[in-house]
Amino acid sequence: MRNLKDKKIVLCRKTTVKDSAGFAGEIYKAIHPGKLWAYVRQLSAGEFYASQALQQKEEMFFTINWRDDIDPPTAFFVCYKEKFYSITRVDTFEGYKEDLKLYALFLASQSKPGEIIEWQG
């Protein structure tokens, strides 16, 4: 049985840019137009204390249609429900060009989804 791709996500790449004063900053750029359909599942979640602050650890699993432009360990991210997840592993399912299975971790430092630069072809 196939997993139903019924959630919308945005795939992004983190890019370093310089502002008008010459200071470096990081932005997220979409690597595709619009949003992608995906099957989404939470694999694990937990909270722990680090540096006297409550931290969250959450691992997510996303299945999307085949793409050949995602190649971690470079900085690729998934934006889902206004949260960013860093892609840690891409499973190509035995080399078949049908689906990609993306494993991702919740980012402790979150950007705002409105800060994603839209795809510019």
Side-chain angles (χ1 to χ4, degrees):
M1 181 176 157
R2 298 179 63 96
N3 295 325
L4 181 62
K5 296 174 188 158
D6 61 348
K7 308 291 187 287
K8 290 285 201 166
I9 66 170
V10 176
L11 295 176
C12 307
R13 175 181 278 162
K14 190 182 280 189
T15 306
T16 302
V17 295
K18 290 188 178 182
D19 63 13
S20 59
F23 293 103
E26 293 181 333
I27 59 167
Y28 292 95
K29 288 179 107 174
I31 65 168
H32 57 84
K35 293 187 176 187
L36 301 176
W37 287 105
Y39 168 74
V40 178
R41 185 176 67 166
Q42 182 177 13
L43 296 178
S44 66
E47 294 177 340
F48 60 95
Y49 284 93
S51 301
Q52 299 179 351
L54 182 64
Q55 303 290 319
Q56 180 180 0
K57 181 178 181 182
E58 181 178 4
E59 186 176 17
M60 298 290 283
F61 174 76
F62 301 92
T63 302
I64 61 172
N65 290 338
W66 177 264
R67 301 181 63 90
D68 59 3
D69 57 351
I70 303 172
D71 54 353
T74 56
F76 283 98
F77 300 87
V78 173
C79 182
Y80 171 64
K81 288 191 175 181
E82 299 189 357
K83 291 183 182 177
F84 284 92
Y85 299 86
S86 175
I87 297 175
T88 57
R89 183 174 150 228
V90 177
D91 184 353
T92 59
F93 189 65
E94 299 174 358
Y96 296 111
K97 293 186 176 183
E98 187 173 318
D99 285 337
L100 280 182
K101 296 172 182 353
L102 309 175
Y103 294 84
L105 287 174
F106 178 77
L107 286 177
S109 59
Q110 291 282 309
S111 292
K112 296 180 178 82
E115 295 174 356
I116 297 174
I117 305 298
E118 291 188 19
W119 183 72
Q120 298 165 351

